[in-house]
Amino acid sequence: MKREKLKVKIIPLGGINEIGKNMTAIEFKDDIIVIDCGLKFPEEEMFGIDIVIPDISYLLKNRDKVKGIFFTHGHEDHIGALPYILKQLNVPVYGTKLTLGIVETKLKEHGLLGTTDLRRVKPKDVIKLDSASVEFIKTNHSIADSVAIAIHTPLGVILHTGDFKVDYTPIDGEVIDLPRFAELGKKGVLVMMADSTNVERPGYTMSERIVGDNFENMFAKAKGRVIVATFASNIHRIQQIITVAQKHGRKVAVSGRSMENIVQVATELGYLEMEKDSFISIDNINKYPNDKIVIITTGSQGEPMSALTRMASSEHRKVNIVEGDMVVISATPIPGNEKLVSRIINQLFKKGADVIYEALAYLHVSGHACQEELKLIHTLVRPRFFIPVHGEYRHLKHHAELAVKLGLSQRNVLIPDNGDVIEITRDSIRKNGTVTSGQVFVDGLGVGDVGNIVLRDRKHLSQDGILTVVVTIEKENGAVIAGPDIISRGFVYVRESEDLMEEAKEIVKSVLKECEEKKITDWATMKSNIKDELRIFLYEKTKRKPMILPIIMEI
Amino acid sequence: MKREKLKVKIIPLGGINEIGKNMTAIEFKDDIIVIDCGLKFPEEEMFGIDIVIPDISYLLKNRDKVKGIFFTHGHEDHIGALPYILKQLNVPVYGTKLTLGIVETKLKEHGLLGTTDLRRVKPKDVIKLDSASVEFIKTNHSIADSVAIAIHTPLGVILHTGDFKVDYTPIDGEVIDLPRFAELGKKGVLVMMADSTNVERPGYTMSERIVGDNFENMFAKAKGRVIVATFASNIHRIQQIITVAQKHGRKVAVSGRSMENIVQVATELGYLEMEKDSFISIDNINKYPNDKIVIITTGSQGEPMSALTRMASSEHRKVNIVEGDMVVISATPIPGNEKLVSRIINQLFKKGADVIYEALAYLHVSGHACQEELKLIHTLVRPRFFIPVHGEYRHLKHHAELAVKLGLSQRNVLIPDNGDVIEITRDSIRKNGTVTSGQVFVDGLGVGDVGNIVLRDRKHLSQDGILTVVVTIEKENGAVIAGPDIISRGFVYVRESEDLMEEAKEIVKSVLKECEEKKITDWATMKSNIKDELRIFLYEKTKRKPMILPIIMEI
């Protein structure tokens, strides 16, 4: 009997050809190691959907092998699906201190804190599993406590960078552990997966520190309150705001649920340094002069219910924007959010605030490596095989090209898709089949109960509304006893369309009459005739195609 | 009796605090001059709406005074509402050759060509009205044949720049008539309205010519077909593509309805120069080698039905993207379109095309003046009063500040709103009341029949769908004869929610029973009880709030 070659399987379950929903399964012998389990925010056409999570059918089928979920950092697109996954697959969860701190808040909301096996790790820690061991390596990112993950197997090292950048002067002084990357590279890395988000951007991502310098300049100019909107999870950004505020003798208040949560967690865990009494409650901001106040708020993406949006539209109960306020939007709009952000900027200006935003330099820096940083990591690690991850196809393709430019052979680079089973031996990388993967929609309490049919109906309803036709009919002979009644919603302004509705009713009547004459008592045929005739009539009259819902009651 | 002071009224009917729907009424004695009448594409939340046009109630009330519609150029946001406006207000329409050429195509589609009084003008022309005269002044923009408009009144000159940029080396050699702006400035301009679109951008907008140089480089590198997506109306861009194509011995085909229309109009009117036989039909592209073909296409904004979108998704009947195709997206995504454009880029890459887009320099230049160009116009014209137009509030505010920085007194600058009546005398500018203004929704054949109630319903339906409850009841005593039946669309996947629906039915039954017992035969109360109970039940079970539509049939 020929001995089977040793191999490792890498199965991306999310994060490929998309931004968000990051999740990767790495399988070696009897171990499945899951890196991250993130959520994705719904696309425009996913009407009514709250969030999207990965399909984990493959993990459920192989649940005995799954040794744990290993987090690279605490962003929603890496941890957000955890509560939903844990309800089906209760495995140990590994993460660094801040990551687990944020995870805990989330588990608390879902009532899962008591039943989850959380295992705190720190950079350089190694977790031994049955056939492999998992090492955590310090990186830099737009959230503190981020790590890369190296999986050591007899076949070689599998390295996943997680989201990362190279920051030589990070706010917490903890520089990405480049020496360890170099060391692994020297010993030999079998395969590397690396963040592709910023591969289209030349040069280097600037250090987070430059944002602080700009805050310094702005705070010096501000004559009233300073309100800074940024991502709640960017602890280093928040630290810089606090530091500058203290320097200028300003008190700091926070607004927005996620900002309050994260600031509390980060403070408890020691990730935020501040003088005593620096923080005040948002309830107390009016007890101080305006030029002694800084408010850190959510809403940098113009999110409809966020604190900044409420301030801009005078719906915030504690903060009323007044002339002299300086509002700093310390973020770049994520693609798709440009209009929301712009709307808020307009509203803030109208209220007399001075609004400082992206057009100005370095109010924000990215958390992802640009081309030169990617080249650095590739050059240090020199993997035998490379799989670009975390990005749309354009990013993956450009990242693959970058690897080839740096000397890797084209056939040692593989652009994956979600669900691909990527088999790697010592000397080969190839796709070998696929597993179930995809997007699971979360809508209210429902997980997966909204599918494409429901979404298609919602889209249809959103375009032209609905027209319900009801008629009561005698079972025996199909004679109309009551109706037809026609009720529409989202179609036309009813009061101005009475004639149209009367005509539509006549059409239904004539269809029913014809059915009666032809002795058609099969409701399905009757309904479909009503639908067809009405659709033609309405399109001719209005060039619209509302959903038509005929309901026949029989007595 | 005190003699009333001479005054001119400026009434923006669109284009203020928004991008699009540009329309301004200028009233002096018995003349109302309308500058432009554009459309706006619907915002995200305007479900099902095709286009948005200005409300012209004020013009209809004063129809005898309206002397004509005067176009600055042929973009949709300046001419697109014309067919709808003409149906209510048939007045002479003035425009330059290309502008009217494009207008004619539009009127033909609406069957209005025969009944419209089109009057062709050229730069330097002056149209004399009863109390004022209208002068056209050559400008540069991303469409050929653009003009500014100066209205001469005894009170002074009212100058509207239209959309403009300063291009010292335009493709057609026709530079903006800066000497005329200077001359008017020297004589004295009472009030200027100027384009604010790019006021947040420092420096100058580059000349259109630089895009041609880049085409030159790209065409030289292309090994297969070159497919260029750009705005159909950008005749100069199209000219440059043709010129470079000819130089490289490539034939040119066009795809997309608006591209075909505009190329035809522009060719007929002499705005496109090309060698004989340069153009071929899209049907014939396969008769030539791939490296002898250029295709100019619509879809640079990722518009869902556009030619490029169809190519990317293999739905184009004539063009199938193959490995070796070079696709150039010669446009910047308009805010809100980023995701659509990105999706197409991904699809094209997956098909093996080489895609060149915005990240690379100068595949596109803006048609609007940046800060330095605006300063130039302000400095040449030196108006007594200034009104920033064409932009969101942030743009108008920044443009107002720019004018003040250049020396204008704050009280001589007025930031308008749509519908404001701005009264100007020799020495004052002020708002004096408002007229009806706003957005009229066009949906299919309906103009204005979809209002906020319909849109609110469409939004509600899009989020959580609808649940229709039907019951047939005896008129006399309220006894249930048939039903209740419950039918939902866009709410839950029905097959997996049978229990939920059964429970919902039980709730309706118990409401009906209670009504019968309490002898409630008032249908409105009955319906509202059903709604209330169901709403509470469904929210508890699903955390969703579908529209609930109870229908009671009586016999």
Side-chain angles (χ1 to χ4, degrees), chain B residues 471 473 477-481 483-484 505-521 526 529-530 533 552:
Chain B
V471 59
I473 277 181
N477 56 15
V480 174
I481 295 177
K505 230 182 245 183
E506 290 307 317
I507 283 170
V508 178
K509 277 183 194 164
S510 73
V511 172
L512 290 168
K513 202 172 153 200
E514 209 188 310
C515 287
E516 202 185 336
E517 282 166 11
K518 288 190 182 161
K519 307 227 177 290
I520 296 172
T521 51
M526 221 182 246
N529 288 356
I530 291 174
E533 293 295 322
I552 296 175

PDB file of all heavy atoms in Angstrom, chain B residues 471 473 477-481 483-484 505-521 526 529-530 533 552:
ATOM      1  N   VAL B 471     -60.203  38.129   5.934  1.00  0.00           N
ATOM      2  CA  VAL B 471     -61.278  37.384   6.601  1.00  0.00           C
ATOM      3  C   VAL B 471     -62.620  37.836   6.009  1.00  0.00           C
ATOM      4  O   VAL B 471     -62.789  38.999   5.679  1.00  0.00           O
ATOM      5  CB  VAL B 471     -61.208  37.587   8.139  1.00  0.00           C
ATOM      6  CG1 VAL B 471     -61.321  39.044   8.494  1.00  0.00           C
ATOM      7  CG2 VAL B 471     -62.243  36.763   8.853  1.00  0.00           C
ATOM      8  N   ILE B 473     -66.623  38.095   6.605  1.00  0.00           N
ATOM      9  CA  ILE B 473     -67.466  38.214   7.806  1.00  0.00           C
ATOM     10  C   ILE B 473     -68.916  38.487   7.408  1.00  0.00           C
ATOM     11  O   ILE B 473     -69.168  39.152   6.399  1.00  0.00           O
ATOM     12  CB  ILE B 473     -66.898  39.360   8.682  1.00  0.00           C
ATOM     13  CG1 ILE B 473     -65.747  38.797   9.526  1.00  0.00           C
ATOM     14  CG2 ILE B 473     -67.940  39.993   9.564  1.00  0.00           C
ATOM     15  CD1 ILE B 473     -65.117  39.786  10.446  1.00  0.00           C
ATOM     16  N   ASN B 477     -73.946  40.197  11.844  1.00  0.00           N
ATOM     17  CA  ASN B 477     -73.533  39.890  13.211  1.00  0.00           C
ATOM     18  C   ASN B 477     -72.028  39.751  13.423  1.00  0.00           C
ATOM     19  O   ASN B 477     -71.576  39.413  14.500  1.00  0.00           O
ATOM     20  CB  ASN B 477     -74.218  38.581  13.667  1.00  0.00           C
ATOM     21  CG  ASN B 477     -73.911  37.452  12.697  1.00  0.00           C
ATOM     22  OD1 ASN B 477     -72.985  37.582  11.881  1.00  0.00           O
ATOM     23  ND2 ASN B 477     -74.654  36.355  12.791  1.00  0.00           N
ATOM     24  N   GLY B 478     -71.272  39.987  12.359  1.00  0.00           N
ATOM     25  CA  GLY B 478     -69.818  39.924  12.517  1.00  0.00           C
ATOM     26  C   GLY B 478     -69.263  38.519  12.641  1.00  0.00           C
ATOM     27  O   GLY B 478     -68.116  38.340  13.006  1.00  0.00           O
ATOM     28  N   ALA B 479     -70.085  37.495  12.327  1.00  0.00           N
ATOM     29  CA  ALA B 479     -69.592  36.117  12.410  1.00  0.00           C
ATOM     30  C   ALA B 479     -68.620  35.837  11.267  1.00  0.00           C
ATOM     31  O   ALA B 479     -68.845  36.244  10.137  1.00  0.00           O
ATOM     32  CB  ALA B 479     -70.760  35.145  12.351  1.00  0.00           C
ATOM     33  N   VAL B 480     -67.560  35.131  11.597  1.00  0.00           N
ATOM     34  CA  VAL B 480     -66.557  34.800  10.586  1.00  0.00           C
ATOM     35  C   VAL B 480     -67.075  33.697   9.684  1.00  0.00           C
ATOM     36  O   VAL B 480     -67.478  32.635  10.153  1.00  0.00           O
ATOM     37  CB  VAL B 480     -65.243  34.347  11.263  1.00  0.00           C
ATOM     38  CG1 VAL B 480     -64.243  33.866  10.206  1.00  0.00           C
ATOM     39  CG2 VAL B 480     -64.648  35.483  12.083  1.00  0.00           C
ATOM     40  N   ILE B 481     -67.073  33.964   8.372  1.00  0.00           N
ATOM     41  CA  ILE B 481     -67.574  32.964   7.432  1.00  0.00           C
ATOM     42  C   ILE B 481     -66.416  32.236   6.749  1.00  0.00           C
ATOM     43  O   ILE B 481     -66.469  31.039   6.541  1.00  0.00           O
ATOM     44  CB  ILE B 481     -68.474  33.636   6.377  1.00  0.00           C
ATOM     45  CG1 ILE B 481     -69.715  34.193   7.095  1.00  0.00           C
ATOM     46  CG2 ILE B 481     -68.862  32.644   5.302  1.00  0.00           C
ATOM     47  CD1 ILE B 481     -70.634  34.934   6.191  1.00  0.00           C
ATOM     48  N   GLY B 483     -61.880  32.251   6.410  1.00  0.00           N
ATOM     49  CA  GLY B 483     -60.630  32.809   6.908  1.00  0.00           C
ATOM     50  C   GLY B 483     -60.521  32.678   8.397  1.00  0.00           C
ATOM     51  O   GLY B 483     -61.272  31.924   8.993  1.00  0.00           O
ATOM     52  N   PRO B 484     -59.665  33.347   9.079  1.00  0.00           N
ATOM     53  CA  PRO B 484     -58.674  34.236   8.474  1.00  0.00           C
ATOM     54  C   PRO B 484     -57.591  33.489   7.680  1.00  0.00           C
ATOM     55  O   PRO B 484     -57.163  32.430   8.100  1.00  0.00           O
ATOM     56  CB  PRO B 484     -58.044  34.926   9.690  1.00  0.00           C
ATOM     57  CG  PRO B 484     -58.240  33.960  10.810  1.00  0.00           C
ATOM     58  CD  PRO B 484     -59.519  33.253  10.536  1.00  0.00           C
ATOM     59  N   LYS B 505     -52.396  33.081  12.915  1.00  0.00           N
ATOM     60  CA  LYS B 505     -53.808  32.885  12.578  1.00  0.00           C
ATOM     61  C   LYS B 505     -54.645  32.760  13.854  1.00  0.00           C
ATOM     62  O   LYS B 505     -55.738  33.327  13.961  1.00  0.00           O
ATOM     63  CB  LYS B 505     -53.928  31.605  11.748  1.00  0.00           C
ATOM     64  CG  LYS B 505     -54.725  31.790  10.481  1.00  0.00           C
ATOM     65  CD  LYS B 505     -54.847  30.477   9.736  1.00  0.00           C
ATOM     66  CE  LYS B 505     -54.130  30.537   8.406  1.00  0.00           C
ATOM     67  NZ  LYS B 505     -54.307  29.284   7.631  1.00  0.00           N
ATOM     68  N   GLU B 506     -54.123  32.030  14.828  1.00  0.00           N
ATOM     69  CA  GLU B 506     -54.839  31.872  16.091  1.00  0.00           C
ATOM     70  C   GLU B 506     -55.049  33.215  16.766  1.00  0.00           C
ATOM     71  O   GLU B 506     -56.093  33.476  17.358  1.00  0.00           O
ATOM     72  CB  GLU B 506     -54.075  30.921  17.041  1.00  0.00           C
ATOM     73  CG  GLU B 506     -54.080  29.463  16.602  1.00  0.00           C
ATOM     74  CD  GLU B 506     -55.486  28.938  16.337  1.00  0.00           C
ATOM     75  OE1 GLU B 506     -56.394  29.224  17.137  1.00  0.00           O
ATOM     76  OE2 GLU B 506     -55.673  28.264  15.291  1.00  0.00           O
ATOM     77  N   ILE B 507     -54.051  34.053  16.670  1.00  0.00           N
ATOM     78  CA  ILE B 507     -54.167  35.383  17.280  1.00  0.00           C
ATOM     79  C   ILE B 507     -55.261  36.186  16.606  1.00  0.00           C
ATOM     80  O   ILE B 507     -56.098  36.812  17.275  1.00  0.00           O
ATOM     81  CB  ILE B 507     -52.809  36.107  17.213  1.00  0.00           C
ATOM     82  CG1 ILE B 507     -51.915  35.507  18.295  1.00  0.00           C
ATOM     83  CG2 ILE B 507     -52.964  37.621  17.405  1.00  0.00           C
ATOM     84  CD1 ILE B 507     -50.499  35.931  18.218  1.00  0.00           C
ATOM     85  N   VAL B 508     -55.304  36.130  15.269  1.00  0.00           N
ATOM     86  CA  VAL B 508     -56.359  36.850  14.549  1.00  0.00           C
ATOM     87  C   VAL B 508     -57.729  36.296  14.954  1.00  0.00           C
ATOM     88  O   VAL B 508     -58.671  37.053  15.223  1.00  0.00           O
ATOM     89  CB  VAL B 508     -56.145  36.732  13.024  1.00  0.00           C
ATOM     90  CG1 VAL B 508     -57.282  37.435  12.283  1.00  0.00           C
ATOM     91  CG2 VAL B 508     -54.797  37.335  12.634  1.00  0.00           C
ATOM     92  N   LYS B 509     -57.797  34.976  15.023  1.00  0.00           N
ATOM     93  CA  LYS B 509     -59.085  34.367  15.420  1.00  0.00           C
ATOM     94  C   LYS B 509     -59.555  34.870  16.769  1.00  0.00           C
ATOM     95  O   LYS B 509     -60.725  35.198  16.962  1.00  0.00           O
ATOM     96  CB  LYS B 509     -58.940  32.836  15.471  1.00  0.00           C
ATOM     97  CG  LYS B 509     -59.090  32.174  14.107  1.00  0.00           C
ATOM     98  CD  LYS B 509     -59.012  30.649  14.258  1.00  0.00           C
ATOM     99  CE  LYS B 509     -58.817  30.002  12.893  1.00  0.00           C
ATOM    100  NZ  LYS B 509     -58.367  28.603  13.021  1.00  0.00           N
ATOM    101  N   SER B 510     -58.593  34.946  17.689  1.00  0.00           N
ATOM    102  CA  SER B 510     -59.031  35.358  19.034  1.00  0.00           C
ATOM    103  C   SER B 510     -59.429  36.836  19.050  1.00  0.00           C
ATOM    104  O   SER B 510     -60.343  37.225  19.770  1.00  0.00           O
ATOM    105  CB  SER B 510     -57.948  35.037  20.067  1.00  0.00           C
ATOM    106  OG  SER B 510     -56.877  35.917  19.934  1.00  0.00           O
ATOM    107  N   VAL B 511     -58.763  37.636  18.234  1.00  0.00           N
ATOM    108  CA  VAL B 511     -59.186  39.044  18.145  1.00  0.00           C
ATOM    109  C   VAL B 511     -60.597  39.119  17.595  1.00  0.00           C
ATOM    110  O   VAL B 511     -61.458  39.853  18.110  1.00  0.00           O
ATOM    111  CB  VAL B 511     -58.220  39.861  17.238  1.00  0.00           C
ATOM    112  CG1 VAL B 511     -58.774  41.261  16.992  1.00  0.00           C
ATOM    113  CG2 VAL B 511     -56.831  39.935  17.843  1.00  0.00           C
ATOM    114  N   LEU B 512     -60.849  38.335  16.532  1.00  0.00           N
ATOM    115  CA  LEU B 512     -62.176  38.365  15.900  1.00  0.00           C
ATOM    116  C   LEU B 512     -63.255  37.887  16.880  1.00  0.00           C
ATOM    117  O   LEU B 512     -64.355  38.451  16.943  1.00  0.00           O
ATOM    118  CB  LEU B 512     -62.169  37.471  14.652  1.00  0.00           C
ATOM    119  CG  LEU B 512     -61.342  37.995  13.474  1.00  0.00           C
ATOM    120  CD1 LEU B 512     -61.168  36.913  12.414  1.00  0.00           C
ATOM    121  CD2 LEU B 512     -61.978  39.244  12.878  1.00  0.00           C
ATOM    122  N   LYS B 513     -62.886  36.873  17.648  1.00  0.00           N
ATOM    123  CA  LYS B 513     -63.854  36.331  18.606  1.00  0.00           C
ATOM    124  C   LYS B 513     -64.204  37.384  19.663  1.00  0.00           C
ATOM    125  O   LYS B 513     -65.360  37.595  19.989  1.00  0.00           O
ATOM    126  CB  LYS B 513     -63.224  35.094  19.278  1.00  0.00           C
ATOM    127  CG  LYS B 513     -64.256  34.153  19.869  1.00  0.00           C
ATOM    128  CD  LYS B 513     -63.597  32.865  20.350  1.00  0.00           C
ATOM    129  CE  LYS B 513     -64.426  32.257  21.474  1.00  0.00           C
ATOM    130  NZ  LYS B 513     -63.613  31.319  22.272  1.00  0.00           N
ATOM    131  N   GLU B 514     -63.169  38.039  20.114  1.00  0.00           N
ATOM    132  CA  GLU B 514     -63.388  39.087  21.104  1.00  0.00           C
ATOM    133  C   GLU B 514     -64.280  40.185  20.544  1.00  0.00           C
ATOM    134  O   GLU B 514     -65.172  40.691  21.223  1.00  0.00           O
ATOM    135  CB  GLU B 514     -62.024  39.644  21.529  1.00  0.00           C
ATOM    136  CG  GLU B 514     -62.021  40.169  22.951  1.00  0.00           C
ATOM    137  CD  GLU B 514     -60.709  40.876  23.258  1.00  0.00           C
ATOM    138  OE1 GLU B 514     -59.634  40.286  22.991  1.00  0.00           O
ATOM    139  OE2 GLU B 514     -60.768  42.029  23.726  1.00  0.00           O
ATOM    140  N   CYS B 515     -64.007  40.552  19.293  1.00  0.00           N
ATOM    141  CA  CYS B 515     -64.822  41.582  18.654  1.00  0.00           C
ATOM    142  C   CYS B 515     -66.276  41.131  18.577  1.00  0.00           C
ATOM    143  O   CYS B 515     -67.201  41.904  18.825  1.00  0.00           O
ATOM    144  CB  CYS B 515     -64.305  41.877  17.244  1.00  0.00           C
ATOM    145  SG  CYS B 515     -62.762  42.802  17.258  1.00  0.00           S
ATOM    146  N   GLU B 516     -66.453  39.858  18.199  1.00  0.00           N
ATOM    147  CA  GLU B 516     -67.833  39.348  18.072  1.00  0.00           C
ATOM    148  C   GLU B 516     -68.532  39.398  19.429  1.00  0.00           C
ATOM    149  O   GLU B 516     -69.658  39.868  19.540  1.00  0.00           O
ATOM    150  CB  GLU B 516     -67.780  37.905  17.546  1.00  0.00           C
ATOM    151  CG  GLU B 516     -69.083  37.473  16.894  1.00  0.00           C
ATOM    152  CD  GLU B 516     -69.046  35.997  16.495  1.00  0.00           C
ATOM    153  OE1 GLU B 516     -67.932  35.453  16.297  1.00  0.00           O
ATOM    154  OE2 GLU B 516     -70.127  35.389  16.393  1.00  0.00           O
ATOM    155  N   GLU B 517     -67.794  38.959  20.444  1.00  0.00           N
ATOM    156  CA  GLU B 517     -68.392  38.962  21.781  1.00  0.00           C
ATOM    157  C   GLU B 517     -68.728  40.369  22.247  1.00  0.00           C
ATOM    158  O   GLU B 517     -69.754  40.610  22.843  1.00  0.00           O
ATOM    159  CB  GLU B 517     -67.413  38.311  22.776  1.00  0.00           C
ATOM    160  CG  GLU B 517     -67.405  36.786  22.684  1.00  0.00           C
ATOM    161  CD  GLU B 517     -66.201  36.172  23.405  1.00  0.00           C
ATOM    162  OE1 GLU B 517     -65.504  36.919  24.132  1.00  0.00           O
ATOM    163  OE2 GLU B 517     -65.975  34.965  23.240  1.00  0.00           O
ATOM    164  N   LYS B 518     -67.833  41.281  21.940  1.00  0.00           N
ATOM    165  CA  LYS B 518     -68.074  42.670  22.371  1.00  0.00           C
ATOM    166  C   LYS B 518     -68.964  43.419  21.397  1.00  0.00           C
ATOM    167  O   LYS B 518     -69.148  44.628  21.509  1.00  0.00           O
ATOM    168  CB  LYS B 518     -66.728  43.392  22.484  1.00  0.00           C
ATOM    169  CG  LYS B 518     -65.885  42.948  23.677  1.00  0.00           C
ATOM    170  CD  LYS B 518     -64.689  43.876  23.845  1.00  0.00           C
ATOM    171  CE  LYS B 518     -63.809  43.423  24.997  1.00  0.00           C
ATOM    172  NZ  LYS B 518     -62.456  44.013  24.893  1.00  0.00           N
ATOM    173  N   LYS B 519     -69.435  42.694  20.399  1.00  0.00           N
ATOM    174  CA  LYS B 519     -70.300  43.270  19.361  1.00  0.00           C
ATOM    175  C   LYS B 519     -69.664  44.468  18.652  1.00  0.00           C
ATOM    176  O   LYS B 519     -70.320  45.455  18.328  1.00  0.00           O
ATOM    177  CB  LYS B 519     -71.660  43.675  19.957  1.00  0.00           C
ATOM    178  CG  LYS B 519     -72.371  42.564  20.721  1.00  0.00           C
ATOM    179  CD  LYS B 519     -73.839  42.455  20.309  1.00  0.00           C
ATOM    180  CE  LYS B 519     -74.534  41.296  21.033  1.00  0.00           C
ATOM    181  NZ  LYS B 519     -74.054  39.969  20.558  1.00  0.00           N
ATOM    182  N   ILE B 520     -68.373  44.368  18.436  1.00  0.00           N
ATOM    183  CA  ILE B 520     -67.694  45.410  17.647  1.00  0.00           C
ATOM    184  C   ILE B 520     -67.877  45.072  16.181  1.00  0.00           C
ATOM    185  O   ILE B 520     -67.412  44.043  15.695  1.00  0.00           O
ATOM    186  CB  ILE B 520     -66.182  45.451  17.965  1.00  0.00           C
ATOM    187  CG1 ILE B 520     -65.977  45.864  19.433  1.00  0.00           C
ATOM    188  CG2 ILE B 520     -65.457  46.411  17.024  1.00  0.00           C
ATOM    189  CD1 ILE B 520     -64.559  45.749  19.905  1.00  0.00           C
ATOM    190  N   THR B 521     -68.637  45.901  15.461  1.00  0.00           N
ATOM    191  CA  THR B 521     -68.814  45.622  14.038  1.00  0.00           C
ATOM    192  C   THR B 521     -68.212  46.750  13.204  1.00  0.00           C
ATOM    193  O   THR B 521     -68.418  46.833  11.998  1.00  0.00           O
ATOM    194  CB  THR B 521     -70.302  45.482  13.686  1.00  0.00           C
ATOM    195  OG1 THR B 521     -70.979  46.620  14.219  1.00  0.00           O
ATOM    196  CG2 THR B 521     -70.878  44.195  14.253  1.00  0.00           C
ATOM    197  N   MET B 526     -61.786  46.840  14.303  1.00  0.00           N
ATOM    198  CA  MET B 526     -61.429  45.440  14.159  1.00  0.00           C
ATOM    199  C   MET B 526     -60.042  45.311  13.516  1.00  0.00           C
ATOM    200  O   MET B 526     -59.178  44.580  13.993  1.00  0.00           O
ATOM    201  CB  MET B 526     -62.458  44.769  13.262  1.00  0.00           C
ATOM    202  CG  MET B 526     -62.872  43.403  13.722  1.00  0.00           C
ATOM    203  SD  MET B 526     -64.028  42.751  12.519  1.00  0.00           S
ATOM    204  CE  MET B 526     -65.478  42.678  13.493  1.00  0.00           C
ATOM    205  N   ASN B 529     -57.263  46.435  15.797  1.00  0.00           N
ATOM    206  CA  ASN B 529     -56.971  45.445  16.834  1.00  0.00           C
ATOM    207  C   ASN B 529     -56.126  44.292  16.270  1.00  0.00           C
ATOM    208  O   ASN B 529     -55.188  43.828  16.912  1.00  0.00           O
ATOM    209  CB  ASN B 529     -58.269  44.867  17.412  1.00  0.00           C
ATOM    210  CG  ASN B 529     -58.994  45.890  18.278  1.00  0.00           C
ATOM    211  OD1 ASN B 529     -58.475  46.994  18.501  1.00  0.00           O
ATOM    212  ND2 ASN B 529     -60.180  45.551  18.742  1.00  0.00           N
ATOM    213  N   ILE B 530     -56.504  43.847  15.071  1.00  0.00           N
ATOM    214  CA  ILE B 530     -55.741  42.755  14.441  1.00  0.00           C
ATOM    215  C   ILE B 530     -54.289  43.191  14.256  1.00  0.00           C
ATOM    216  O   ILE B 530     -53.344  42.483  14.597  1.00  0.00           O
ATOM    217  CB  ILE B 530     -56.361  42.375  13.077  1.00  0.00           C
ATOM    218  CG1 ILE B 530     -57.725  41.702  13.292  1.00  0.00           C
ATOM    219  CG2 ILE B 530     -55.427  41.463  12.291  1.00  0.00           C
ATOM    220  CD1 ILE B 530     -58.484  41.422  12.011  1.00  0.00           C
ATOM    221  N   GLU B 533     -52.294  43.441  17.670  1.00  0.00           N
ATOM    222  CA  GLU B 533     -51.955  42.153  18.276  1.00  0.00           C
ATOM    223  C   GLU B 533     -50.896  41.419  17.457  1.00  0.00           C
ATOM    224  O   GLU B 533     -49.978  40.830  18.005  1.00  0.00           O
ATOM    225  CB  GLU B 533     -53.213  41.277  18.412  1.00  0.00           C
ATOM    226  CG  GLU B 533     -54.242  41.803  19.401  1.00  0.00           C
ATOM    227  CD  GLU B 533     -53.697  41.805  20.839  1.00  0.00           C
ATOM    228  OE1 GLU B 533     -52.975  40.873  21.191  1.00  0.00           O
ATOM    229  OE2 GLU B 533     -53.988  42.779  21.578  1.00  0.00           O
ATOM    230  N   ILE B 552     -61.004  43.031   5.454  1.00  0.00           N
ATOM    231  CA  ILE B 552     -62.242  42.369   5.886  1.00  0.00           C
ATOM    232  C   ILE B 552     -63.257  42.443   4.750  1.00  0.00           C
ATOM    233  O   ILE B 552     -63.565  43.525   4.250  1.00  0.00           O
ATOM    234  CB  ILE B 552     -62.797  43.031   7.168  1.00  0.00           C
ATOM    235  CG1 ILE B 552     -61.786  42.825   8.311  1.00  0.00           C
ATOM    236  CG2 ILE B 552     -64.160  42.452   7.520  1.00  0.00           C
ATOM    237  CD1 ILE B 552     -62.164  43.519   9.591  1.00  0.00           C
TER     238      ILE B 552
END
